Amino acid sequence: MSLIEKLDKIRSPKLQNQREVSYEDSHMSNYPMVFADLMQTAVVLSAVEDTLRDQQCDSTPTAYFAALLALLGQSISPSSGIVNKELATSVVYLLDLVTPYVPAPLLRTKFSQILTSIAPVLTNHEIEAPLIRSSIGCLESLLLAQDTAAWALPPNQVSPRRALAGLLVLASDHRPKVRKRAQDAITHVLKSPPPSPSLDHPAADMCAETAMRSLNDVMTASGKKKKKGKGQAQEGHHQPGLMHALQAVKTTAAASGGWPSKKIEPLCQILMNISKSNNDYLTMAAFEVFEIMFQGMADEFSSSKLPRLMEAITELRPSQNDSQLLPPWIAVVSRGYDVSAQIDPEDTFLKLPDIFEMISGFLTSSSHNVRISASECLISFVVNCVPEKVILEPSVFDEKTLDKVAELGTSLLSAKYQAAWMEVFSVISALFEALKWRSTLRMNESVSVVGELRSNDSFQGKKQADAVLGKAIEAIGPEAVLNVLPLNLAKPKTDQPGRAWLLPILRDHVSNTDLAHFKSEFVPLSEFMFQRVIENGSNEKTIEIKIFETLVQQIWALLPGYCNLPLDLTTAFDQSFAELLSNLLYQQIELRSNICKALQVLVESNQEILNTKATEENFQRRITKETARQNIDHLSRFSGNLLAVLFNVYSETLPQYRGFILQCINAYLSIAPEQELLETFTRVTGLLEAALADSTSQTQADKQKQSQPRGAEMPPTTHTLMDLIITLSIYLPRTTFPALFSVTALILPQAADPQLQKKAYKLLPRLASSPTGIDALQDRNPELQSLLLNSAPTATPPCRRDRLAAIAVVTEHLPRQSLHFIPSILSEVVISAKEVNEKARAAAFDLLVLMARKMSQGGTISQSKIPHMPQDAPDADASLEEFFTMVSAGLVGSTPHMVSASITALTRILYEFHAQLLPTVIEDLVATMDLFLTSANREIVRSVLGFAKVAIITLPETIVKPRLQSLVPGLMSWSREHKAHFRAKVKHIFERMIRRFGFELVDRYCPEEDRKFINNIRKTKERRKRKKETDGDNDDDEEAMASQSKRKNRFESEYDRAVYGSDESESSDDDDKQDHSDAERGNRRSRASKTYLVEDSDEPLDLLDRKVLAHISSTRPVRGKPAEGSRKQKQSKTDADGKLIFGADEDDRDAMVLDFTEGGGGRGDEGTVEEGIGAYVEAIRGRDAVQRGRGGRLKFTNKRDRKGDVDDDGEDVGGSSSSNRRKPEAGAKKSGKGGRPGGGPSSGKGGIPTRKHGRGGTTGSARNGAGGGPKGGPKSQRRGLGMGKVRGGRVGKGEVKRR
């Protein structure tokens, strides 16, 4: 921004925002005062400009500077201080703006005058922050203009060093904005040194010394307070000052290229002492200073300071047992050598053994944090300090250094570091990853030690050991690892354990190795294992045979890894190996997936190298682009035979298992020679034509005879061959396309096979994915248009989506002179907008948008070529409006379905292109939809409602507002229709309408009889608004956001959201009930689960009665005892199980009345535990109900009731109840409540026998003593009546005790 623009901001009252930061200042928080300062600045500027005009001076920065300097002397006096604070604030602010544009020689001559004038401001800590910040800005501009001679003056004179010392003091000020402004000024000054041979600024040493002295003073003061016993409170009191001092040090380090070389050692000492603090912020701040220093030394200009810094850090090595200081020190060392490796990688690599040995000694520490820090530091060393050049082309000295590093890494696996083995495993893994194939032989001992530990069953770190062995396999290859740790599976020895656990590790990590090793090591092993399986024959598989089968699977699971960029592909992949794989594909079904994946990886991994542009892949994989090209050429010679084998295997495989075979075929088609492709295509095409001829001549009876069970049904040969042709299509040359399209034309009319039709339509989108296919689609576009138009009558519903995709491909490549295809096929696309299948419907919408875009690009429509159009029809110009006219033609369709589809199609393209249409077209369209809104057909009206919603949401208000007078009554006529959610849809439309146009306008056009509906929407909205204002909880906000995001993700496109989405609830009540949100409905359900029914004492509750709401209570009803003489006391009693008790009251002997006391369960005066009216249900499903156990035997509960009492006092059943019964006494085998007499006299009430005492039962025989009759015995749970009505009693000792 130029000076003129800055001054214009001050002159203009609307743009006085350059000092808005002062609003937040503690001394300038009053807005009128700030506004007065701004106005004062504008007045001062105007006065200066008037003076310049009077003196006929140009408005240059120098003229402004001279005038302001005169005003500065009037407002601030060196002896008296600030004379006029308001004037001083404005003058210094304007000087801050002007001085960067004043010539440097002028600033140097006026340095003493300006510094003397603003010194009272900088030294007075009670001055407001805005004035101090402006003074700092003036001082910054002055210091930037000084030369080397001025910086050589001592600080005791009026010199730049003295001014910079004042800035250093302000850099630790307690006011954040003052502190930040001073730190920025120091940074700018130190980064702009005057011309000199020195690397550092002349004042860098002074800044460093001042910053360190300030930091040291704060630390000393904090230490003294601690010694006096002030403790943590005083430490916390001094932490802000310490943070400010650290920030000043960071500023100096960032600006001076790291840190002045002479001051590095004392700074490191101070920072390491701060790192010991328990305060995480201080530790992080100290680390940030180190990071700033390292960043400043990362460039070549300041890199000479780095050795001095690393030497100083190394000399500050803490004690071996210092668990507080060691982790930060190790972290600083790690970061330092990381920067050193970037500056001088070769020299740092030579130092790697020494620093590796230094840090590895800390792995013996008893502190876990120290061991973790040491291991991470070692990992950083081997990752950052080993350059790529050492791995690719090592020298003799590099080889020796690698030997030392590998030896040191192996020594970490000794017993000395046993406590840190988990950390050591990470270091060993990093070594394998860094040294790569150079770790061969050097790290074999490490592999041996880790393998022995892994073989020990009691070893706890098997997962970490597996990771180390995996890195070793990636680095040195499986052959080297297996030489050290052989599998010992074929001929195991007693003294060597079998290592089958290595196979999964090999599977996950083998890559970029020798394929010949798999042929020599694992193919014979697989044959040996499989021979053992064959020898078992048809006998039952033992555990050993199953293990052999599993091993065979695991062995061939290694093949994809060996085929990932093999180093010897051209020699190892020969004819014999290809034949072996082909035989296995035919014979071993369970191995097909691994073999196909391996063959596919062979091709794709080399293609990836050819397509990559970076050299990193070559470094990682040891495969150059030239080698990868040779590998592809070698594989292409086998592609013909392999494709033939894969085609045969594909035809013999069930469809659900064909995916990986097709991917493998696709890989080899991409590298097959053109002649092979032509021969393959000719052969497959001939087979397909023959199969089509056979299928057409085959009768329906023959097809039924050949039908197989659905689970093992193989697809027809035509389907398989068509899959292969589709896969072949993108690799075929242009000469084969006539035959390809002829085959497609032969299949499309066959409506008897929808699946074959579907595959034929997939051919065109497949061709569009290749450049050759796109050229063919453009050249043969007229032929494809005719093909699609002629096949329309035979298209089956299952292929609708694929047919639309094919039409889209043809439309996309449609020439401008062939746009007649769009109106010819448009009716089918419009009808598809009403498809039941969602994917077909989405494809139709996308195709409509594509057609509209094609028409909007312009062109000519030959209407004479459109079916059912006269030959002399004139040509029409293609445009978006013309396309809307074409779609609108469906509005006069003969069926409601066609009209509804046309409206839906118009809705979709209107939503997409409403901004590009002429207003007259949109107005005519909206007026037409008003007419259809009065239709009696619900299907049509449903589509019109979607159109109305899109119109209200997207169209301009100038178009929609005039139509509200007819649109609102039309929509209201359907608000009383509940079918197909019409009422909810209309309500959503009105909600959006009110939100956009306001309630008053909608209410104005609403019929009088429907005002209640509109008022309901308004009240609901107001209630939501009030609830939103009152509910300020964070949980509610989060729930609302979650529900909003959930609603947002419900729809796949913005169009679906506009048509089907709504921000409001979908409930629609006739009264003024509020439409609750999902969370509110959840709360309502939870409240409803805690409601109770208050039953009437004389008659059952009628749930259909309008007064039923009066019987619903949110609290549990409290029942009192019935009054004496009431009917309740005269009714028959029921026990806890809901069974009737007879004989307790002679007045009601002949009445069988259910006793529903106010307690609800009939437990006499004690009340009941549960409420309800279903005594029978309680008897069947209650806690005392009988259950059947194993063998059909009856089981009974033995649980206590809620009071924990066991009722065995033998009182009258009508007066007490219990669910726990006592065992019968000696002599009574079984007792119960007899139904019909069985082995004893009929003396009890019908029921189920129990193991404890019963209520009113009979004594029976041991076999069927409790109701041995056919209806009242143990197999019946129905509570029946006995032969006689007796009083309740208790059974004991084979007798019936009567009350």
Side-chain angles (χ1 to χ4, degrees):
M1 186 181 296
S2 64
L3 177 61
I4 297 176
E5 293 175 343
K6 293 180 179 179
L7 296 179
D8 287 339
K9 282 180 173 289
I10 298 175
R11 297 188 190 103
S12 176
K14 296 182 179 179
L15 297 177
Q16 292 178 0
N17 57 357
Q18 65 272 21
R19 296 180 63 193
E20 288 180 354
V21 291
S22 61
Y23 294 168
E24 301 175 3
D25 193 84
S26 60
H27 298 285
M28 300 289 290
S29 60
N30 191 4
Y31 175 76
M33 184 182 298
V34 175
F35 185 73
D37 288 345
L38 293 176
M39 295 302 295
Q40 178 70 21
T41 304
V43 170
V44 172
L45 178 61
S46 178
V48 170
E49 292 176 343
D50 291 342
T51 303
L52 295 178
R53 280 193 296 266
D54 293 341
Q55 297 178 359
Q56 298 180 357
C57 295
D58 296 334
S59 298
T60 61
T62 303
Y64 280 113
F65 177 73
L68 292 172
L69 204 58
L71 291 175
L72 181 63
Q74 298 176 12
S75 59
I76 303 177
S77 173
S79 59
S80 304
I82 299 176
V83 179
N84 189 337
K85 188 180 72 172
E86 290 78 10
L87 180 60
T89 303
S90 300
V91 171
V92 175
Y93 177 71
L94 291 173
L95 272 176
D96 186 15
L97 295 180
V98 172
T99 47
Y101 303 95
V102 177
L106 180 58
L107 292 177
R108 284 197 291 269
T109 58
K110 297 295 182 181
F111 176 78
S112 299
Q113 179 183 351
I114 299 176
L115 181 59
T116 305
S117 299
I118 64 175
V121 177
L122 297 175
T123 56
N124 190 350
H125 296 288
E126 297 180 358
I127 300 298
E128 288 82 358
L131 181 55
I132 295 181
R133 293 203 304 273
S134 300
S135 302
I136 293 173
C138 295
L139 193 56
E140 176 186 351
S141 300
L142 288 174
L143 293 175
L144 289 173
Q146 303 305 308
D147 54 10
T148 306
W151 284 108
L153 296 175
N156 55 4
Q157 299 181 10
V158 180
S159 63
R161 287 179 177 269
R162 185 173 182 179
L164 189 57
L167 288 181
L168 289 170
V169 174
L170 293 175
S172 299
D173 194 87
H174 65 280
R175 289 166 291 189
K177 294 181 181 179
V178 173
R179 189 170 62 248
K180 180 68 168 58
R181 187 69 179 88
Q183 291 171 0
D184 293 342
I186 294 172
T187 302
H188 197 189
V189 170
L190 293 180
K191 284 188 175 181
S192 304
S196 66
S198 175
L199 297 178
D200 298 330
H201 192 280
D205 291 343
M206 184 195 73
C207 292
E209 184 177 356
T210 305
M212 282 196 304
R213 184 169 60 249
S214 175
L215 182 61
N216 198 17
D217 291 343
V218 175
M219 290 184 60
T220 303
S222 177
K224 290 181 178 179
K225 294 295 183 181
K226 286 184 181 180
K227 291 180 179 179
K228 291 181 179 180
K230 300 296 182 180
Q232 293 292 335
Q234 291 296 333
E235 183 185 5
H237 177 72
H238 281 273
Q239 283 176 358
L242 194 56
M243 292 293 293
H244 300 162
L246 279 171
Q247 186 66 29
V249 172
K250 188 192 303 183
T251 301
T252 306
S256 59
W259 192 258
S261 302
K262 299 178 181 179
K263 307 295 181 182
I264 287 178
E265 290 85 351
L267 177 63
C268 293
Q269 180 69 45
I270 295 174
L271 293 178
M272 295 307 298
N273 291 333
I274 294 176
S275 301
K276 293 190 296 184
S277 173
N278 294 328
N279 192 324
D280 294 337
Y281 294 103
L282 291 178
T283 304
M284 291 175 59
F287 285 163
E288 287 177 359
V289 175
F290 277 115
E291 183 67 24
I292 291 294
M293 294 170 64
F294 288 133
Q295 288 178 0
M297 299 176 185
D299 57 355
E300 296 181 0
F301 186 75
S302 304
S303 59
S304 59
K305 302 178 185 179
L306 185 61
R308 184 71 174 272
L309 176 60
M310 294 307 302
E311 181 180 352
I313 293 174
T314 306
E315 291 175 356
L316 293 175
R317 174 178 176 175
S319 172
Q320 185 80 12
N321 299 323
D322 193 344
S323 59
Q324 281 190 336
L325 195 55
L326 269 176
W329 181 82
I330 293 174
V332 171
V333 170
S334 174
R335 177 61 179 138
Y337 280 102
D338 182 12
V339 176
S340 177
Q342 298 175 21
I343 298 173
D344 191 357
E346 296 180 359
D347 184 65
T348 307
F349 176 67
L350 295 177
K351 296 178 182 177
L352 182 58
D354 296 333
I355 59 177
F356 193 96
E357 185 177 6
M358 176 182 67
I359 299 298
S360 61
F362 296 112
L363 289 174
T364 59
S365 174
S366 58
S367 173
H368 179 68
N369 292 334
V370 174
R371 296 198 301 268
I372 291 293
S373 300
S375 64
E376 292 178 351
C377 183
L378 293 176
I379 293 172
S380 176
F381 285 164
V382 298
V383 170
N384 299 318
C385 300
V386 180
E388 295 181 1
K389 182 180 177 181
V390 173
I391 303 300
L392 295 175
E393 299 176 356
S395 63
V396 177
F397 293 103
D398 294 338
E399 293 280 1
K400 293 181 179 179
T401 305
L402 290 175
D403 294 339
K404 292 180 181 178
V405 173
E407 183 180 356
L408 289 172
T410 304
S411 65
L412 298 179
L413 293 170
S414 61
K416 177 182 178 181
Y417 303 97
Q418 184 174 0
W421 268 355
M422 297 302 104
E423 291 81 13
V424 168
F425 284 164
S426 301
V427 177
I428 300 298
S429 299
L431 275 172
F432 277 115
E433 192 171 1
L435 302 184
K436 295 180 174 58
W437 59 90
R438 298 297 175 187
S439 56
T440 306
L441 300 179
R442 292 187 174 93
M443 301 289 292
N444 284 0
E445 186 178 352
S446 299
V447 174
S448 176
V449 174
V450 175
E452 291 177 0
L453 292 174
R454 174 60 176 82
S455 301
N456 191 348
D457 294 336
S458 61
F459 183 63
Q460 300 296 325
K462 293 183 179 180
K463 182 178 180 181
Q464 291 78 5
D466 289 347
V468 175
L469 295 176
K471 293 297 182 181
I473 292 170
E474 292 177 1
I476 65 179
E479 183 176 3
V481 173
L482 292 178
N483 288 336
V484 179
L485 301 173
L487 293 174
N488 296 328
L489 295 178
K491 298 178 180 179
K493 299 180 181 179
T494 55
D495 57 338
Q496 295 183 359
R499 297 186 178 91
W501 49 266
L502 264 177
L503 292 176
I505 303 175
L506 289 167
R507 177 198 63 202
D508 296 336
H509 296 90
V510 168
S511 66
N512 198 209
T513 185
D514 294 328
L515 183 59
H517 178 254
F518 181 84
K519 294 171 58 178
S520 61
E521 177 75 17
F522 290 103
V523 171
L525 181 61
S526 173
E527 293 175 352
F528 173 79
M529 297 294 179
F530 191 68
Q531 184 63 33
R532 298 290 299 271
V533 176
I534 295 176
E535 292 175 357
N536 187 60
S538 59
N539 299 329
E540 183 180 357
K541 293 182 180 181
T542 61
I543 297 296
E544 184 180 6
I545 298 301
K546 292 180 180 179
I547 292 175
F548 287 142
E549 290 180 344
T550 304
L551 290 175
V552 172
Q553 291 280 350
Q554 290 181 340
I555 289 170
W556 284 99
L558 305 178
L559 184 58
Y562 276 93
C563 291
N564 187 4
L565 290 178
L567 302 176
D568 58 346
L569 187 145
T570 54
T571 57
F573 195 88
D574 51 9
Q575 185 66 29
S576 61
F577 189 63
E579 291 177 357
L580 172 64
L581 297 181
S582 301
N583 292 332
L584 290 174
L585 285 173
Y586 281 122
Q587 299 172 5
Q588 301 296 326
I589 298 176
E590 62 276 1
L591 301 181
R592 285 179 181 175
S593 61
N594 290 324
I595 296 175
C596 287
K597 184 178 179 181
L599 292 173
Q600 178 184 350
V601 169
L602 271 178
V603 177
E604 293 181 349
S605 59
N606 285 280
Q607 287 179 337
E608 184 180 357
I609 295 294
L610 289 176
N611 297 330
T612 186
K613 296 181 180 179
T615 58
E616 297 179 359
E617 189 68 22
N618 300 337
F619 168 68
Q620 295 287 339
R621 298 294 191 177
R622 290 185 289 172
I623 294 291
T624 62
K625 289 189 175 183
E626 183 62 29
T627 306
R629 189 174 293 106
Q630 294 175 2
N631 292 340
I632 293 295
D633 295 340
H634 179 75
L635 290 173
S636 65
R637 291 195 286 270
F638 294 91
S639 60
N641 295 331
L642 286 175
L643 284 172
V645 173
L646 291 171
F647 284 172
N648 294 333
V649 173
Y650 183 84
S651 62
E652 297 172 359
T653 308
L654 292 174
Q656 58 267 31
Y657 305 113
R658 287 180 169 181
F660 57 87
I661 303 177
L662 202 61
Q663 292 175 1
C664 186
I665 291 174
N666 198 56
Y668 279 87
L669 286 174
S670 64
I671 64 171
E674 184 174 336
Q675 186 62 32
E676 292 283 352
L677 291 174
L678 291 174
E679 294 177 359
T680 303
F681 176 71
T682 304
R683 186 165 56 253
V684 174
T685 306
L687 293 174
L688 178 59
E689 292 175 351
L692 287 173
D694 293 342
S695 62
T696 54
S697 62
Q698 194 177 29
T699 62
Q700 186 67 24
D702 296 335
K703 293 181 181 180
Q704 292 179 356
K705 290 179 182 178
Q706 294 179 359
S707 63
Q708 302 177 7
R710 184 149 186 97
E713 183 178 359
M714 291 292 294
T717 307
T718 53
H719 293 189
T720 301
L721 295 174
M722 194 62 201
D723 287 338
L724 297 178
I725 287 179
I726 293 173
T727 307
L728 272 166
S729 59
I730 62 174
Y731 305 106
L732 294 174
R734 291 284 298 274
T735 56
T736 60
F737 281 13
L740 187 64
F741 290 136
S742 64
V743 169
T744 306
L746 187 64
I747 294 175
L748 290 183
Q750 297 189 10
D753 196 343
Q755 292 299 322
L756 186 61
Q757 251 190 4
K758 193 173 183 180
K759 294 179 183 297
Y761 281 118
K762 288 181 178 180
L763 181 62
L764 296 183
R766 172 75 171 173
L767 286 175
S769 62
S770 68
T772 307
I774 292 175
D775 295 339
L777 291 174
Q778 294 174 349
D779 295 343
R780 296 182 173 272
N781 203 278
E783 178 183 345
L784 295 175
Q785 294 176 31
S786 302
L787 180 62
L788 290 174
L789 290 173
N790 296 333
S791 61
T794 58
T796 55
C799 67
R800 182 69 61 192
R801 179 170 67 94
D802 296 292
R803 176 174 168 82
L804 291 172
I807 295 174
V809 169
V810 174
T811 303
E812 186 176 0
H813 301 92
L814 202 63
R816 290 195 173 190
Q817 63 273 16
S818 300
L819 293 179
H820 61 274
F821 174 72
I822 292 179
S824 302
I825 204 76
L826 184 59
S827 59
E828 179 182 353
V829 180
V830 171
I831 284 291
S832 299
K834 296 285 289 184
E835 277 289 328
V836 178
N837 186 284
E838 182 180 357
K839 293 182 179 179
R841 201 164 58 245
F845 286 146
D846 295 340
L847 182 53
L848 282 169
V849 173
L850 177 62
M851 287 180 169
R853 288 204 179 103
K854 200 71 178 178
M855 292 285 289
S856 65
Q857 295 172 2
T860 303
I861 303 174
S862 301
Q863 299 192 68
S864 58
K865 297 181 180 180
I866 301 175
H868 310 296
M869 290 290 287
Q871 295 296 325
D872 57 349
D875 294 344
D877 294 332
S879 64
L880 192 59
E881 289 76 13
E882 183 66 21
F883 183 71
F884 270 82
T885 304
M886 294 176 184
V887 180
S888 301
L891 297 177
V892 297
S894 57
T895 62
H897 187 73
M898 182 62 192
V899 176
S900 175
S902 301
I903 296 174
T904 303
L906 285 170
T907 305
R908 179 64 183 92
I909 57 178
L910 176 67
Y911 179 81
E912 190 74 24
F913 300 100
H914 65 275
Q916 306 174 26
L917 281 176
L918 296 175
T920 55
V921 177
I922 300 177
E923 291 173 358
D924 295 341
L925 201 57
V926 175
T928 305
M929 294 305 160
D930 281 351
L931 299 177
F932 282 105
L933 197 57
T934 61
S935 174
N937 188 277
R938 289 190 178 90
E939 185 178 6
I940 296 176
V941 174
R942 187 185 299 114
S943 298
V944 175
L945 291 179
F947 181 91
K949 187 172 184 181
V950 169
I952 290 171
I953 293 173
T954 60
L955 296 185
E957 294 186 5
T958 56
I959 297 177
V960 181
K961 271 187 177 181
R963 307 302 311 177
L964 291 180
Q965 187 172 1
S966 58
L967 184 62
V968 171
L971 291 172
M972 277 300 178
S973 62
W974 291 97
S975 64
R976 294 176 290 275
E977 180 66 47
H978 289 273
K979 291 184 179 179
H981 304 287
F982 270 59
R983 181 179 174 85
K985 293 177 185 294
V986 171
K987 186 173 183 180
H988 297 162
I989 294 174
F990 275 105
E991 287 172 351
R992 303 303 291 265
M993 191 185 300
I994 293 172
R995 185 184 307 170
R996 187 176 185 189
F997 302 107
F999 176 80
E1000 292 76 11
L1001 184 61
V1002 177
D1003 186 65
R1004 184 190 310 167
Y1005 300 124
C1006 181
E1008 187 64 32
E1009 60 273 13
D1010 295 314
R1011 294 288 174 84
K1012 184 179 178 181
F1013 184 77
I1014 296 295
N1015 289 328
N1016 180 22
I1017 297 175
R1018 178 180 58 81
K1019 293 178 181 179
T1020 301
K1021 183 178 180 180
E1022 292 175 353
R1023 278 195 293 266
R1024 287 198 188 98
K1025 186 177 180 180
R1026 290 195 301 268
K1027 180 174 177 60
K1028 188 176 182 180
E1029 292 175 353
T1030 55
D1031 296 346
D1033 296 341
N1034 293 332
D1035 295 339
D1036 296 342
D1037 295 340
E1038 292 175 1
E1039 185 176 354
M1041 292 175 63
S1043 62
Q1044 182 178 359
S1045 63
K1046 184 178 180 180
R1047 288 196 304 269
K1048 184 176 181 180
N1049 296 331
R1050 283 173 55 195
F1051 308 106
E1052 296 183 356
S1053 66
E1054 292 295 330
Y1055 170 74
D1056 291 342
R1057 182 205 299 274
V1059 176
Y1060 306 112
S1062 175
D1063 293 340
E1064 310 296 341
S1065 174
E1066 294 187 1
S1067 60
S1068 55
D1069 301 331
D1070 292 335
D1071 53 4
D1072 291 338
K1073 294 180 182 178
Q1074 181 181 0
D1075 296 334
H1076 294 284
S1077 63
D1078 293 341
E1080 291 172 338
R1081 286 197 295 270
N1083 293 335
R1084 184 177 61 191
R1085 285 194 296 269
S1086 65
R1087 290 193 299 268
S1089 62
K1090 297 181 181 180
T1091 56
Y1092 300 88
L1093 289 176
V1094 181
E1095 300 177 32
D1096 191 78
S1097 58
D1098 297 326
E1099 58 185 6
L1101 181 63
D1102 185 9
L1103 297 177
L1104 298 179
D1105 190 1
R1106 291 182 178 271
K1107 300 179 181 180
V1108 70
L1109 292 176
H1111 295 269
I1112 298 177
S1113 174
S1114 60
T1115 58
R1116 187 169 182 171
V1118 180
R1119 307 281 184 164
K1121 294 183 179 180
E1124 294 185 5
S1126 65
R1127 184 179 175 183
K1128 284 282 184 180
Q1129 291 183 333
K1130 296 181 180 180
Q1131 290 178 347
S1132 299
K1133 303 291 185 180
T1134 58
D1135 63 359
D1137 296 333
K1139 295 178 289 188
L1140 298 176
I1141 304 298
F1142 296 96
D1145 195 344
E1146 295 182 358
D1147 296 337
D1148 294 325
R1149 283 182 183 273
D1150 298 330
M1152 186 174 66
V1153 183
L1154 290 174
D1155 178 21
F1156 299 129
T1157 65
E1158 294 188 0
R1163 290 198 181 188
D1165 296 335
E1166 295 180 1
T1168 63
V1169 177
E1170 300 178 0
E1171 297 178 0
I1173 61 174
Y1176 174 71
V1177 176
E1178 177 68 17
I1180 296 300
R1181 302 179 181 177
R1183 53 181 289 182
D1184 294 333
V1186 67
Q1187 298 179 358
R1188 290 191 178 275
R1190 186 170 55 186
R1193 301 183 62 182
L1194 299 179
K1195 298 171 63 177
F1196 303 89
T1197 182
N1198 192 25
K1199 298 179 180 179
R1200 296 176 179 268
D1201 58 12
R1202 293 189 178 183
K1203 295 181 180 180
D1205 299 328
V1206 180
D1207 187 6
D1208 51 73
D1209 53 0
E1211 293 182 1
D1212 183 19
V1213 177
S1216 64
S1217 63
S1218 173
S1219 59
N1220 300 280
R1221 291 143 195 182
R1222 196 172 50 192
K1223 292 184 180 180
E1225 300 177 8
K1229 295 183 178 179
K1230 280 190 179 182
S1231 62
K1233 303 162 213 166
R1236 295 179 182 271
S1242 175
S1243 58
K1245 178 191 107 181
I1248 300 175
T1250 64
R1251 296 178 182 175
K1252 299 183 179 181
H1253 70 273
R1255 307 186 196 96
T1258 61
T1259 57
S1261 64
R1263 186 169 58 90
N1264 57 357
K1271 294 184 180 180
K1275 294 184 179 181
S1276 175
Q1277 294 184 358
R1278 189 177 300 276
R1279 320 287 185 171
L1281 299 179
M1283 295 297 293
K1285 299 181 178 63
V1286 298
R1287 298 175 63 86
R1290 191 177 73 174
V1291 179
K1293 295 185 179 181
E1295 299 179 355
V1296 178
K1297 295 186 177 181
R1298 299 185 181 276
R1299 187 171 57 178

